[in-house]
Amino acid sequence: MTVYPGGLSLRRIEAEQALTEPRLTPALPQALTVGRWQIDRTSREVSDGHLARRLSPRAMGVLLQLVEAQGIVVSRTDLLEAVWPDIHVSDESLTQAVAELRRVLGKDDRCRQYIETVPKAGYRLSMQVRLYAESLEDIPAIQDGYDGSKQRVAAHLAVTEARRLARNKGLLAVAEIDRLIEEAVATAPKTAHVQAEYALQMVCAAVHVGDRSARLALAAEAANDAVRLRPDQLPSRRSLGFVQGMTNDMDGALSSFSACLAIDPDDFETHYLAAKVCMGSGYLRQSITLAERACDLDPEDYRPAFNASRAALKLGDAERANELASLALRRIEAHLALGSNSMRFLSARSAASAILGRPTEDTETIMQRAQARPFLYDVVALAHLGATDLAVETFALLMDQGMTYSGWIEADPISDMLWQERDFRRAFERMEAA
C-alpha cells in the first residue's frame, strides 16, 4: 500500500462507454482507498470494512478524476469534459454526482467533507489516496510508515481481502477468511494490526463456527502479541478488550477499552465492540450507552442501533427500543437503496421491521433465506412475527453451523419469547455447556 504520486492524466471515456461504466485505465489499479473507504473500481463498491455501498457510474467517474488530481483543484469544465465526453449535459449533472459522493462517503473524523468545493474554481479531494498494487512485483518502495518490506504489504493485502469477504459473504467464506488471516500472520508475524485482525477473526469464528476453546486461545495469543508489538495502537487494545470480554474477563476488557478511550475517545470501533462485550456479559445499560455513542460517531452503521434496541427491549424500555430499531431500519434501508443486497442486510431489515410491527417479508420468505444462510436476525424476525416454531428451527440451524456463544442470546428478548418452547430450552442449555 503506497501513497499515490499522482500527475497521471485519466483517459477520456468514449461516449458509448460513458453511458454505462467509467473506463478503467492502466494509470490506476482496481483497488484504492480514499480516507477510510476502500474502493473497487470494477464493481464501483466502496467500503470501510463494515459498510458497503455502490456508486453510480457518473459518481465513480468524478471520483476517479479527483483521485488522479491528488488534491489539485479540478474545474467543473474539466470534470464535465472528462466524465461526459461528447455528451451535452448541464452543470446539474455534475452537481448531482458530487452530492452523491458526499452522501455516500460522508465526512472524516474531523467532520471534513471528502469532496471540497473551491469557490469559482471547482472541486478537489481533501483526503489522502492510497493504492493497492495488483501483485507484489508492482509494489514500489513503501512510504507510509512501514519498514519497506514486501512481506508487510502482502500481509496487509491479505487482511484487506479477508475483511472484504467477511463483509460480503460472512460465515459462508470462513475457511477462506481463516486462510487469508493465517497467511498474513505467517507473512508478517511482527505486524501489530495484522495480529489484532487475526484475534478479531478468531473470536468471530469461535462464536459462530465452533471449535470455541481452540480459537479463543489463538485469539488471546494474537491479541497479546499485538499489544506487545504496539501498545499505543488502537487495533491492538481493541482486539485484546474484545477477546477478554468474550472469555469472561470483564475487568480486563474494561481496562483495555479504557486504554482505547484514552488514545481516542471518539473511536467508533471501541464503542461498538465494548457495547457488544457489555451486552453479552449482561451489562445492558452500559451496552446501550456505548452503542448510542457509536451511533453518533458513525451516522450510517446500523449495527449499534439494532443491538441497543434489543438491550432496551430486554430492560422493558419499549419506547427507547422502538426509537433505536427505527434508526437501525432507516440505516439498513439506506444501504439497500445504494445497491447493497447482501443476505446480512436483508435479514437485518426483516428483523428491524418485524420488531416495529411493519414486516417487510412474510415468514415463508424469511425461512427460505434462512435455510440457505441463517442469521440471528432471522430468529429475531420470526419470533416477533409469532412464528415461534420457525424461530426455534432457525436457531437450531445456527447451532448446527457452530454457534456457541450464549451471552448475546440470553441478553436478547428472544430468550424470553422462546423459552416456553422445549426445543429452544434444550438447544440453549447445550449452547451454554459448549
Side-chain angles (χ1 to χ4, degrees), residues 344-359:
R344 181 179 289 108
F345 278 110
L346 294 173
S347 294
R349 181 179 64 178
S350 295
S353 61
I355 293 168
L356 295 167
R358 306 193 301 267

Side-chain angles (χ1 to χ4, degrees), residues 162-338:
R163 290 179 68 87
R164 187 190 68 81
L165 287 172
R167 181 189 72 245
N168 293 338
K169 296 185 177 181
L171 301 179
L172 295 175
V174 67
E176 180 66 6
I177 292 169
D178 279 355
R179 183 190 68 76
L180 286 165
I181 296 297
E182 289 172 359
E183 176 185 301
V185 172
T187 302
K190 295 184 179 180
T191 305
H193 82 275
V194 170
Q195 292 285 359
E197 187 68 25
Y198 180 86
L200 293 178
Q201 293 294 344
M202 283 296 102
V203 173
C204 291
V207 168
H208 296 290
V209 180
D211 198 10
R212 180 179 173 85
S213 297
R215 290 182 185 274
L216 288 179
L218 291 171
E221 181 181 358
N224 280 296
D225 283 346
V227 172
R228 281 194 292 270
L229 288 165
R230 290 300 301 269
D232 59 321
Q233 283 191 349
L234 274 172
S236 302
R237 293 290 182 179
R238 279 196 309 248
S239 67
L240 181 60
F242 194 54
V243 171
Q244 290 168 324
M246 299 302 287
T247 53
N248 300 317
D249 179 9
M250 277 303 292
D251 288 341
L254 294 176
S255 176
S256 293
F257 286 128
S258 178
C260 291
L261 294 173
I263 297 171
D264 184 355
D266 295 323
D267 179 60
F268 166 81
E269 286 289 334
T270 296
H271 287 82
Y272 173 65
L273 292 178
K276 291 189 70 173
V277 163
C278 285
M279 186 171 181
S281 298
Y283 294 77
L284 298 185
R285 296 189 187 282
Q286 294 89 333
S287 178
I288 293 171
T289 300
L290 289 162
E292 289 181 329
R293 178 58 180 149
C295 289
D296 293 337
L297 292 169
D298 189 329
E300 292 157 351
D301 196 320
Y302 77 90
R303 298 170 302 165
F306 185 91
N307 293 341
S309 75
R310 308 307 294 156
L313 191 57
K314 183 76 171 182
L315 290 173
D317 191 343
E319 181 178 357
R320 193 177 190 183
N322 283 342
E323 289 176 356
L324 287 161
S326 295
L327 175 60
L329 182 58
R330 289 196 299 273
R331 294 182 175 188
I332 293 166
E333 289 178 335
H335 284 288
L336 291 171
L338 289 170

Side-chain angles (χ1 to χ4, degrees), residues 56-174:
S56 69
R58 303 302 194 194
M60 177 60 82
V62 171
L63 180 59
L64 293 180
Q65 291 291 331
L66 297 175
V67 163
E68 289 209 340
Q70 285 292 290
I72 298 173
V73 177
V74 183
S75 70
R76 294 180 66 89
T77 299
D78 287 345
L79 286 171
L80 285 167
E81 289 181 353
V83 182
W84 290 268
D86 305 321
I87 300 175
H88 179 70
V89 296
S90 67
D91 280 0
E92 181 62 22
S93 297
L94 176 57
T95 300
Q96 291 176 0
V98 171
E100 178 186 341
L101 288 172
R102 287 174 171 164
R103 183 175 64 254
V104 171
L105 300 178
K107 298 181 180 180
D108 70 357
D109 55 4
R110 297 181 183 178
C111 293
R112 298 177 300 175
Q113 291 280 3
Y114 277 59
I115 311 299
E116 179 184 353
T117 299
V118 181
K120 299 182 180 180
Y123 300 101
R124 68 181 172 195
L125 197 64
S126 63
M127 300 293 115
Q128 186 180 63
V129 177
R130 298 178 187 275
L131 304 186
Y132 295 96
E134 299 293 343
S135 69
L136 288 181
E137 298 307 315
D138 299 328
I139 299 173
I142 306 304
Q143 302 171 11
D144 63 357
Y146 292 112
D147 64 2
S149 69
K150 290 183 177 181
Q151 287 76 16
R152 287 177 180 263
V153 176
H156 183 85
L157 293 173
V159 167
T160 300
E161 175 63 10
R163 290 179 68 87
R164 187 190 68 81
L165 287 172
R167 181 189 72 245
N168 293 338
K169 296 185 177 181
L171 301 179
L172 295 175
V174 67

